[in-house]
Amino acid sequence: MKKIKNIGIAMLVLASITFASCSSDFLDENLDTKYSTDYFETPEGLEALARSLYGNIRWHFGYEWAYGLTLYGTDEFTNANDLTNECWNTYDNRFGPIHATTALGAANGNCTAPGALWDQMYYGIASCNTIIAKADKISNVQVRNRCLAHAYFLRGYNYYRLTAQYGGVVLQTEPAQGVIRSLTRATEEACWEQIVSDLRQAYNLFEGEVFTYGKGITWTKATAAHFLAKALLFRSSERCTAQFTKDGTTRTSADVKNDMNEAIEACSYAITARGGKLTDNYSDLYANWTGVDCANEQLDEILMAAGNNADATTVGRFGNRTYNYFNPQFSSFSGGWVKRGVWIGGMDFQRCRPTEYAYAVFDHVNDARMWKTFRTVFGTNNVQDKTKDINLGDPAIVMILNTKNDHTYDQYTFGCFIQNPTWKDDNGRLAEWKSGSRQKPNSGDLTTQKGKWVPNSLVLYQNSQYVAPQFKNQPICNFFAGINKTDDGSRTAEKGDAHRDVTMARLAETFLVRAECYVRLNDYANAMKDINVVRKRAQWKNGENRSFYSDGSQAFESNSLNTGTSATNYTNSNLNMNTYYLSNPGVAVTTAASDLTLTAFPNNLPAEDEAIISSLGVSGEYERALNFILNERSRELLGEWQRWETLSRTGTLIKRAKVFNTEASTNIKASKHELRPIPQSFIDGLLNEDGSNLSKEQKDKWQNPGY
């Protein structure tokens, strides 16, 4: 699809625009200019345009904006040494309506522009408007309704993303005729009304759980239900309540109650329609990804995904680049003991460093999600010093994720590539490792070797102090445990595109959305039931090996590149093990089930939650319940592309960033950073109806407060 830089200058001239049409595989997105818009008045043409809508959502994961817009500047992630999108995390003077280029202080030319999301969402909206306008030309009711369902859904979704980021935006709901340069910014309330209306339309038009274009990718009634519930929740949440009051309107308690009840009903449909339960093993959602279009991409829990495969049309800026962003810079700080390559599922671009909160929010002993998400061990694939007692396949990087009250390692020396043996485990529990041994998922036969030297080792706490950021070779820490939700060993080159789908919505979040709706209705008993569904799946199951680890690197086992040196390096790098027992030194080796179920809510919460709530200084049943759900969302959805939106919605962004994100805390401001800046390039392109330029005062009214 041609990129129109500014909807204010060119709001999609449909008489001449080219659309992406799709073949039998909706991912085969080919530019086709041979059709006029009359083609969209045929069943084939309108369905081709409806299929092309799926290409619009892939944009979200094609480059640096994937994390900049969604994860930076929150309580969960901060920037590491790479400073590509630093200003999105630090909220400094480079972050504003004007794109931060290198000339304006950006670290490089890849910094995300404030108008990136703005432009891309309106491209998709234009296609949706065409479908909606042309639908009455189609006599086939099934085709017409299917196309309308898709169009209403994506238009609602795209306006959801725009409004969540910017507040009130331009509501364009009909195909534009000619170049439009005089536009009106709708209120945030009007935007949410449109979003809810569109998603209701989609919900009513979708044919239940009919996977029109392939299970695991296609939007269904449950997908629409999930986002309808989220939209209803958003407009009844703290940010909107405050904004609507500023705009001169106030939603009553009855309005909120109606929204919450409708959201609960929508969530209940999605949950029931997808079998009423979650995928049994949390690892199956992300860690156990085995290759392109594998079975784990078809799980009933997945409600929406950005589809990618090995087709040439899903590469580059239309491909999945998310594997780049979560790994630490292991190839640099390892001193050469761990070389980078396709056999390691992710590149070490060190964009997203977990905050202290991101580790501390977990129950390190009983919550399996922590150990199925964080990668804590890299194996030696390149011996640098043959005088050391270390061989290929030995642990080369070991990250101990201990807790604040653990004093086991107070006197130990840790660091990046330390030349001399600096720590020995007198208990013989160094990573439960033995030469030639690999962990099994359901085995309790853990092996040990006492006193092994590890070139690179990290610990979170010493003497009750969070010391992890001190292990660095530059001003900002680049030695951390990254998350594995994007790792992809199917890449055919070290810097090649990933081929795995990106999950955008799943049923565990639906349960948490419904729980939050119950909280807002003061129904804490039903909220606890939904929360416990999520937490029960997070428990260790009977027979599970708590030292076992896997990630999408295993797709390399069936990759054509898995030959010779590459195959050996894969085996040596990926040891299928974590540091569970090193990180929990008082825990005996066990394969017994654990228990995370709540027995009281919102009082008498788990210790990790009480500590976080205490740090935030919040009290009262509602605030405790809301912050617990935000914590649970972190544990369940860490790194899943929506944290900034969630904290902005609930009015907790400023406080949580100040308390838990050191880099963001200095500059983030209330009444400013809950919204993104409207792109200046858009505002500068606007004209008055008489063709005159906007005055400075008029431009200022378009901009969000503080920018």
Side-chain angles (χ1 to χ4, degrees), residues 93-115:
N93 58 11
R94 296 168 296 174
F95 182 67
I98 299 174
H99 178 33
T101 63
T102 52
L104 296 175
N108 56 56
N110 296 324
C111 183
T112 299

Side-chain angles (χ1 to χ4, degrees), residues 515 519 524-525 527-528 531 598-605 621 624-626 628-629:
V519 164
Y524 296 112
M528 186 172 74
I531 292 166
L598 298 179
T599 57
F601 181 74
N603 298 310
N604 299 316
L605 297 174
E621 285 192 335
R624 286 174 59 83
L626 177 63
F628 176 87
I629 288 175

Side-chain angles (χ1 to χ4, degrees), residues 40-47 131 134-149 205 207 212:
F40 303 131
E41 297 179 2
T42 68
E44 298 80 12
L46 201 67
E47 187 132 54
I131 292 171
K134 299 288 186 181
D136 61 357
K137 305 288 186 181
I138 308 302
S139 59
N140 185 316
V141 175
Q142 184 179 41
V143 171
R144 180 173 69 238
N145 287 348
R146 180 185 300 156
C147 293
L148 281 172
L205 286 165
E207 308 164 76
T212 313

Side-chain angles (χ1 to χ4, degrees), residues 82 109 141 357 439 512 558 633 644:
D82 183 273
V141 175
Y357 162 84
Q439 293 293 295
L512 293 177
S558 58
R633 288 181 69 94
W644 186 92

